[in-house]
Structure formats: C-alpha cells, structure tokens
Amino acid sequence: MPHVALVGYGRFGRALGTLLEAVGVEHRALDPVADIPEPLRARSVPELLEGAERVVVAVPVPQMRDVLRALKPHLRPEHLVLDVGSVKVKPVEALTEVLGTEVPWVGTHPLFGPLSLAMAERPMRVVLCPNPLHPAAAPRARRFYEALGCEVIEQTPEGHDQVMARTHALTFFVAKGMVDSGAAADVPFAPASFKALSRTIETVRADAGHLFNAIQQENPFATEARGRLLAALQGIHRDLQAAPSVEEPKASGVAVPGLEPAVPAPREPREHLDALDRELVELLARREELARRQRRAQASGNEPARTEALLAVRRAWARELGADAQEVEAVFRAVLGSGLR
C-alpha cells in the first residue's frame, strides 16, 4: 500500500500512526504544533503528499475547512482525502465545498480512539459515508480501513450524527455532569453498576477539550438530544419527589414510569461460564496484539528473569483475589509459552 499522509498529529493522529505502523503501512505526518518523530515528519505539504494516495485529515472539526483550503492546491485526482471527525454533517459540508468534484473524498468516523487502540480492543469499527460526487471513493476507503483490520459500516452523514447524538454525545454529557458535580471523584468503593460508567468518566477527563466540544457543538442533533434527556431526567426527578415514602405504612414502593422491566430469567451456571470464556478469549486476543507490540519495541534481554518477575506479580494478584496462586501461575506459564509473552 502506498504511504499514508497524516494531516494533524494530535492524540488521534498519533494513535492512527501507531496502527498504520502495526500493519506495516508507511506514513508521514504534518503538524506545525506537534512533536512528530523525525523519520515521520514532513516539513511541507508537497513533501507530505509526495508518493501518497490516501490523505487522512485528523484535525478538529472547526479547523477542517481552512485545512482543506490549504491542502487543495497540492491535491490531485488520484488522491483520496478522508476525514476522521466524530461528527459527519459539517465535515462533509466542508469537503463538498472545498474539494467538490475535483478531488475524491469520503467522510469517515473511526469508532475507536487512542485509549482503545492502546488497549488493543476489538473489534475496531469505522463509519463510512459514501460520497455521490465520487462513487469510487467509498470502495477505496473501505479497502483502506479493512486493510487496517477494521469493520466498516456505511451510513449517511445525517444518519451518523443522529445516532451519535443519542449515544456518543449523551454519554459524554452525562459523564461530564458527573465529573463536574463531583459524583465520581475518589470513591472508596462502588457497585458493579458503576463500572460501566467509570471508564467513560475517565475518557471524558482525558478528552475534555476539543473532542467534547466537537461532539456537543458540531453535531446538529446534539442540542435536541440533550434537551430530551434533561426533560426525561426532570420528569423522573418529579416522579420520585411525588412518590410516597417507602417508610409509610400504606406505601407499596416507589413507582417510576419506565423503570419496571420484566425480571429476566436466571441464567444457568453454564451460560455464565460460556460468557466468561468468551471474555477470556477476547482478552487473550488483545494480549497477543499487545505482546507483539512490546516485542517490536523492546530489545531482547534477560527473558527468564523477566518471566519470573511477571509470574511473581500474577501469583500475588491471585492471592489477593482468593484464587489458587499455583494454578494461576500454570495458566500464565501456558500463555507465555504460547507466544503471548
């Protein structure tokens, strides 16, 4: 595959570069304010684009139009320009206005970020918005992402932003509200129901700048989605205030509309074991990918000593959790011996 030109080397551009490197795709990057490793650094747009067929524009959405205008004089019909913004209506409008029919382009949204890439989470999915001005561009973009190991979902820009308004934007909105209210700060213990939110809260803490603003302010459907959520929460709050206290003799409990699902049938132990085994296989697949990255980055050294130190830590973890330390060690010896070191 010809090398990829990255315009923008912020958190996502750098993470995408790591993914490109992992699958053997050469790339160069241009960003006047980022610290780009010397072998990857391009000092001008012509240098960046020389020999490249795919141009990935990884800049904040409000900067998209200006960046495209700076790129346009140097782009050719054989290039394929991809944006990777978390919203799609406004970037596609900018691509249409600036590049139009002259240079092939496609709006895309990788549904993964630096944290999930660093943790080798799978599957990696990408939303792709086919471009009627360049019918051949979408298949080219699909082949590019599939070569990176991604699953591709096609959607219109409007359809994408509507879904993101009801999911991505609301999730970050709720998580930021919890962060700002102090609800998630330094909790000494938490129920299992909180674990699903805790990672989102940490992501919001890490991405409280342009990403949060982009998914809230640049998505034309986000304001309405937030309004519906706030109205629903206010309604639930009023219902709770109006409900009789459970301590009153005649009270039958708090009845809140929409919070009375049917009780699910209890699962058999075998079903739970199957679900856990599936999680274990997924974790082993992620571990294998991270181990490959570590082997590439780490010079060979005293492997026996490193292995024994690793196993000692795993035995300690097992004892903390009440598991058999020797059995856990045997499992990890098998894992390490299988090449997942």
Side-chain angles (χ1 to χ4, degrees), residues 24-295:
V25 177
E26 294 185 6
H27 65 283
R28 286 198 293 267
L30 177 66
D31 190 324
V33 298
D35 183 15
I36 304 173
E38 192 59 35
L40 305 178
R41 178 185 293 277
R43 289 169 174 77
S44 66
V45 173
E47 181 183 347
L48 174 74
L49 298 180
E50 184 180 356
E53 286 188 5
R54 292 160 184 84
V55 182
V56 178
V57 181
V59 301
V61 174
Q63 298 176 17
M64 179 73 63
R65 192 172 265 98
D66 289 340
V67 169
L68 290 173
R69 286 173 178 151
L71 286 174
K72 185 179 178 182
H74 307 279
L75 293 170
R76 301 184 301 276
E78 57 265 31
H79 285 129
L80 173 63
V81 178
L82 308 172
D83 96 285
V84 290
S86 298
V87 297
K88 289 275 69 72
V89 169
K90 291 188 177 181
V92 165
E93 288 175 352
L95 287 160
T96 303
E97 176 190 318
V98 178
L99 302 184
T101 59
E102 298 176 51
V103 179
W105 55 266
V106 180
T108 74
H109 177 199
L111 300 175
F112 50 82
L115 179 59
S116 59
L117 285 175
M119 296 296 291
E121 293 182 351
R122 297 295 185 272
M124 297 185 297
R125 294 190 174 95
V126 176
V127 175
L128 185 155
C129 302
N131 175 4
L133 299 178
H134 298 276
R140 289 176 63 190
R142 174 182 286 274
R143 288 193 295 272
F144 168 69
Y145 280 116
E146 288 178 346
L148 301 185
C150 301
E151 298 177 5
V152 177
I153 304 158
E154 294 194 3
Q155 182 60 270
T156 65
E158 293 77 12
H160 168 277
D161 283 4
Q162 288 171 346
V163 171
M164 289 298 107
R166 299 193 301 268
T167 55
H168 200 195
L170 288 189
T171 301
F172 268 52
F173 184 60
V174 170
K176 190 170 190 320
M178 295 184 72
V179 169
D180 291 354
S181 69
D186 301 323
V187 290
F189 57 89
S193 57
F194 180 73
K195 290 182 180 179
L197 265 178
S198 62
R199 181 174 171 186
T200 303
I201 290 169
E202 290 307 313
T203 303
V204 169
R205 283 196 176 112
D207 288 317
H210 76 265
L211 177 58
F212 181 83
N213 290 333
I215 62 179
Q216 302 298 336
Q217 297 176 339
E218 303 296 332
N219 186 327
F221 305 99
T223 300
E224 180 185 355
R226 292 196 306 269
R228 287 198 303 268
L229 174 64
L230 290 172
L233 290 174
Q234 287 290 345
I236 294 168
H237 181 59
R238 287 192 300 270
D239 289 340
L240 286 168
Q241 288 183 309
S245 170
V246 294
E247 297 178 358
E248 294 177 9
K250 294 183 180 180
S252 59
V254 178
V256 180
L259 293 183
E260 298 171 347
V263 178
R267 299 173 70 182
E268 295 295 325
R270 180 69 261 166
E271 293 180 271
H272 289 292
L273 285 171
D274 287 343
L276 284 173
D277 286 350
R278 172 72 185 189
E279 289 183 37
L280 283 172
V281 172
E282 291 175 352
L283 289 171
L284 286 171
R286 288 172 55 191
R287 193 185 199 284
E288 182 176 6
E289 171 59 26
L290 291 173
R292 278 198 295 265
R293 295 182 194 174
Q294 182 178 359
R295 286 195 296 271

Side-chain angles (χ1 to χ4, degrees), residues 310-334:
L310 180 149
L311 292 172
V313 172
R314 275 58 178 171
R315 288 194 300 270
W317 290 347
R319 286 190 288 268
E320 289 174 9
L321 295 170
D324 188 304
Q326 298 307 313
E327 289 186 1
V328 169
E329 177 180 343
V331 169
F332 274 94
R333 284 193 182 277

